[in-house]
Amino acid sequence: MAMKSILIIGGGNMGAALAARWRERFKSATISVIEPNEPKRKSFGTPGVRIYASLAAFPGAAEMIILAVKPQMADEVLAQLRKRRGINTSLLISIMAGVPLSRFNRIGKYAVRVMPNTPALIGEGISAICAPKVPVALQNTVKALFSAVGPVVMLEREKDMHAVTAISGSGPAYLFAFMESLMAASQSLGLGEALSRTLVTQTIRGAVLLADAKGGDVAALRKQVTSPQGTTEAALKSFKKNGLRSIVKKATKAAAKRSKQLSN
């Protein structure tokens, strides 16, 4: 499918990021966004993207519809789409957490679920795509769309979306929370706020780039940094004593459980 007409329902951070990247990548496509919030519409800063206050105000049809609203709004938006004649598309793409493909019946010919994450804002996201029973040509279209905001992976089983949501979808927030804690710890050791922020953000950035360069073997990299009876070992022993791995496991299970609840 050629990138001709794309409608994004939801102009929040992710919807806006997708619109901006797609406007840059697919210059001949008509890209429209539905955003009821007036301040968000006024601050929408991507030239060439058409902004509408409601689905009713959207004047035409779209070959692809992207559902980029909160899961709690799914029923309302899907009801509007079902009532709107002439807007049905051959491809419906949902980036809503927890909302199963079975909810998209009678809207378009094919439905796909995608779970991107917020680093897509700078083109460094990762998106998991689940497209069962969708022709290969349309799968390639979805891959091309989301490759504009970072790497993509394909899922064979829709139920794996719950785990993906818990790991990569919500994952950036976990790292931000850890960074907040590390910055606070830095300040408790006597360093200033600005210096703490610089040290933590660059340390995280450098560690991620190093892990990527070394093929993702984070266990080996951790061992390289950890000298026997050294400072790093002292900190890691404290992490282990306080159950860091167990905390992370419980947290991701809670996120996956919430994703399953949303699907109901």
Side-chain angles (χ1 to χ4, degrees), residues 94 96-101 104 111-115 128-130 158 161:
S94 169
M96 296 184 291
V99 182
L101 289 168
F104 307 128
V112 175
R113 284 185 64 187
V114 182
M115 177 50 62
I129 299 170
C130 183
E158 186 180 6
M161 272 292 185

Side-chain angles (χ1 to χ4, degrees), residues 11-211:
N13 288 335
M14 188 59 69
L18 293 174
R21 290 281 167 175
W22 292 343
R23 175 73 285 152
E24 181 180 336
R25 180 72 64 88
F26 310 112
K27 298 186 183 300
S28 63
T30 298
I31 300 175
S32 305
V33 174
I34 308 295
E35 177 48 62
N37 184 281
E38 185 176 1
K40 286 184 179 179
R41 289 199 307 275
K42 289 184 176 180
S43 63
F44 207 90
T46 304
V49 175
R50 302 174 182 179
I51 311 293
Y52 300 92
S54 67
L55 191 57
F58 180 65
E63 292 179 302
M64 288 175 277
I65 297 178
I66 317 298
L67 298 178
V69 298
K70 300 294 184 184
Q72 294 83 352
M73 297 178 62
D75 287 339
E76 177 184 348
V77 172
L78 293 176
Q80 291 177 17
L81 284 172
R82 289 190 177 100
K83 291 178 181 177
R84 175 72 185 272
R85 292 184 178 181
I87 201 171
N88 283 2
T89 177
S90 60
L91 184 59
L92 180 72
I93 302 173
S94 169
I95 64 171
M96 296 184 291
V99 182
L101 289 168
S102 59
R103 297 271 292 277
F104 307 128
N105 62 320
R106 294 189 290 116
I107 304 176
K109 188 175 181 181
Y110 296 107
V112 175
R113 284 185 64 187
V114 182
M115 177 50 62
N117 61 8
T118 54
L121 295 169
I122 58 169
E124 291 291 343
I126 185 165
S127 302
I129 299 170
C130 183
K133 301 179 181 179
V134 174
V136 173
L138 288 182
Q139 290 186 27
N140 290 336
T141 295
V142 180
K143 289 179 184 178
L145 280 170
F146 286 89
S147 292
V149 294
V152 300
V153 295
M154 298 298 295
L155 301 181
E156 294 183 2
R157 305 181 304 176
E158 186 180 6
K159 67 179 183 179
D160 289 338
M161 272 292 185
H162 300 305
V164 168
T165 299
I167 300 301
S168 63
S170 301
Y174 312 155
L175 293 179
F176 297 146
F178 180 77
M179 291 171 72
E180 284 183 291
S181 298
L182 198 54
M183 289 176 190
S186 175
Q187 292 178 64
S188 75
L189 292 172
L191 300 181
E193 181 179 355
L195 178 57
S196 296
R197 184 182 302 110
T198 298
L199 289 172
V200 171
T201 53
Q202 182 55 40
T203 296
I204 298 293
R205 180 186 294 113
V208 169
L209 291 173
L210 180 59

